């Protein structure tokens, strides 16, 4: 069901390489593929027909679950943050893509959404929609971390630093667990706040990691002109697309850290490109509305 993947590292400059996990699939891409793999195998093993998960309206995870569900024979339900979306005549590009792939939506208030891990809320969803295999928000659980442990392979032992963007912390946890003893794993949170440290500690079995919290650009999905122009020039120069929510902020951060002398001379840095490119269309819609430069 899941093939061996070829994601050969791409050379960027004398210190930095990129692992192009975005090439795995246009939508079930990067870490979302890694996080879904063992969950889908488990849902099949247990005989489930429905997958249910949670996400925001621009979520890469929602798009990936919809496409993966269709590909592997599941009905999918997305519980989406934001009741007001129910009244919108037009879905944004992420939700439109999910719908095209057969996902059914339940739009809930921000207040209801906060109950996403509470048993009573999950039980009421089961009464309403029938039984389902639950994939948590952002897809992070033990099986997701297990999938992310497969991102690094033996060829990656030559690197001194492994860098990745951080949302719910599942991806970095997998990377930490499979990192080599001489390596340090650097996480670049895409959101403000330090709470994520605790979540990572739940899954990570080692202490060779650190969060670099200076590159969230004001918070989740917040962007500015500097970031957009960095993403556009990076693509022009290296022919590698970056998304504005996760990988763009991380690579911007890595280049800035190099300028500031953060990395020791001759240290080798591997940046994990975790995908997320489906999110560009939605951000471009917003940029167009504001008459700003688009992501190319
Ligand atoms: C979801 C996502 C992340 C965050 O992964 P976590 O495991 O939630 O930390 C990072 N990069 C991309 C492109 C994503 O879609």
């Amino acid at each position: 069901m899941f093939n061996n993947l070829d994601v050969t590292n791409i050379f960027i400059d004398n210190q930095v390489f990129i692992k192009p996990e975005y090439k795995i699939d246009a939508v079930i891409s990067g870490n979302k593929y890694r996080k879904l793999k063992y969950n889908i195998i488990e849902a099949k093993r247990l005989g489930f027909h429905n997958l249910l998960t949670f996400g925001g309206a621009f979520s890469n995870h929602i798009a990936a679950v919809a496409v993966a569900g269709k590909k592997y024979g599941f009905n999918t339900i997305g519980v989406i943050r934001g009741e007001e979306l129910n009244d919108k005549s037009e879905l944004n590009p992420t939700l439109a893509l999910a719908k095209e792939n057969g996902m059914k939506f339940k739009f809930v208030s921000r207040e209801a959404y906060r109950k996403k891990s509470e048993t009573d809320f999950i039980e009421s969803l089961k009464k309403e929609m029938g039984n389902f295999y639950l994939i948590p928000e952002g897809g992070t659980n033990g099986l997701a971390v297990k999938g992310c442990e497969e991102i690094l392979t033996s060829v990656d032992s030559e690197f001194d630093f492994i860098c990745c963007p951080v949302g719910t912390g599942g991806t970095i946890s997998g990377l930490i667990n499979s990192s080599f003893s001489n390596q340090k794993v650097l996480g670049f949170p895409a959101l403000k706040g330090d709470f994520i440290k605790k979540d990572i500690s739940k899954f990570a079995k080692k202490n060779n990691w650190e969060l670099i919290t200076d590159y969230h650009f004001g918070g989740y999905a917040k962007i500015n002109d500097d970031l957009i122009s960095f993403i556009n020039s990076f693509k022009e120069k290296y022919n590698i697309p970056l998304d504005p929510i996760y990988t763009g902020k991380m690579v911007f951060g890595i280049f800035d850290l190099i300028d500031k002398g953060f990395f020791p001379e001759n240290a080798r840095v591997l940046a994990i490109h975790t995908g997320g490119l489906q999110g560009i269309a939605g951000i471009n819609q917003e940029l167009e509305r504001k008459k700003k430069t688009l992501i190319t």
Side-chain angles (χ1 to χ4, degrees):
M1 174 155 68
F2 291 91
N3 304 324
N4 286 329
L5 307 167
D6 178 21
V7 276
T8 308
N9 296 333
I10 301 171
F11 174 72
I12 297 294
D13 77 5
N14 59 7
Q15 278 198 295
V16 184
F17 284 69
I18 295 231
K19 187 179 286 296
E21 295 265 305
Y22 68 92
K23 289 183 176 174
I24 292 173
D25 182 271
V27 182
I28 322 170
S29 98
N31 64 348
K32 298 307 183 280
Y33 170 90
R34 303 289 184 178
K35 294 168 93 171
L36 285 173
K37 175 177 167 184
Y38 289 108
N39 277 293
I40 284 184
I41 291 171
E42 179 71 352
K44 275 260 185 270
R45 188 183 71 81
L46 296 171
F48 281 96
H49 300 292
N50 303 318
L51 305 176
L52 179 139
T53 195
F54 296 87
F58 294 94
S59 160
N60 296 325
H61 170 66
I62 287 290
V65 169
V67 175
K70 184 171 176 194
K71 184 166 176 185
Y72 298 112
F74 294 95
N75 304 313
T76 54
I77 303 159
V79 181
I80 311 294
R81 188 194 317 112
E83 236 169 356
E84 71 284 359
L85 297 166
N86 227 346
D87 309 323
K88 288 226 169 138
S89 54
E90 211 178 312
L91 294 171
N92 74 38
T94 300
L95 295 182
L97 175 78
K99 189 177 173 186
E100 261 167 49
N101 284 279
M103 182 174 264
K104 299 222 165 26
F105 301 127
K106 179 178 172 65
F107 297 104
V108 300
S109 66
R110 279 158 179 77
E111 195 188 347
Y113 190 86
R114 252 174 258 131
K115 299 186 191 146
K116 59 189 182 283
S117 341
E118 292 178 16
T119 319
D120 288 355
F121 184 50
I122 304 293
E123 285 309 312
S124 75
L125 288 171
K126 283 188 178 160
K127 279 211 188 89
E128 187 183 333
M129 335 238 206
N131 204 14
F132 50 74
Y133 182 86
L134 175 72
I135 302 176
E137 182 189 45
T140 289
N141 58 16
L143 290 174
V145 172
K146 176 178 165 175
C148 292
E149 289 172 3
E150 296 176 353
I151 295 173
L152 292 178
T153 67
S154 54
V155 302
D156 300 320
S157 61
E158 61 167 322
F159 292 100
D160 304 294
F161 291 90
I162 309 294
C163 300
C164 77
V166 175
T168 60
T171 307
I172 191 172
S173 297
L175 290 167
I176 294 164
N177 291 347
S178 61
S179 63
F180 297 86
S181 54
N182 57 311
Q183 295 179 326
K184 180 141 194 198
V185 183
L186 301 179
F188 293 72
L191 358 69
K192 256 195 243 179
D194 227 15
F195 55 93
I196 194 68
K197 259 190 168 159
K198 230 174 49 212
D199 294 337
I200 297 170
S201 305
K202 261 190 278 182
F203 291 110
K205 296 178 186 142
K206 291 192 254 178
N207 298 317
N208 57 336
W209 59 279
E210 186 184 328
L211 294 183
I212 308 286
T213 54
D214 301 330
Y215 300 101
H216 56 63
F217 286 78
Y220 182 74
K222 298 271 196 304
I223 55 177
N224 66 21
D225 295 343
D226 284 352
L227 180 66
I228 300 302
S229 94
F230 175 81
I231 287 172
N232 286 342
S233 59
F234 190 85
K235 178 157 179 212
E236 201 173 301
K237 193 158 176 201
Y238 303 108
N239 199 25
I240 296 175
L242 299 171
D243 84 291
I245 298 179
Y246 292 106
T247 58
K249 291 180 180 180
M250 167 190 64
V251 179
F252 184 103
I254 291 171
F255 276 50
D256 195 50
L257 289 176
I258 290 173
D259 282 350
K260 291 180 171 153
F262 174 91
F263 297 106
E265 213 178 320
N266 300 325
R268 309 252 279 168
V269 179
L270 179 65
I272 311 298
H273 190 314
T274 44
L277 301 177
Q278 72 81 29
I280 292 174
I283 295 283
N284 269 345
Q285 251 185 12
E286 304 271 302
L287 289 170
E288 197 164 3
R289 203 171 303 142
K290 294 179 186 156
K291 307 221 178 328
K292 299 241 181 190
T293 309
L294 304 191
I295 300 167
T296 47

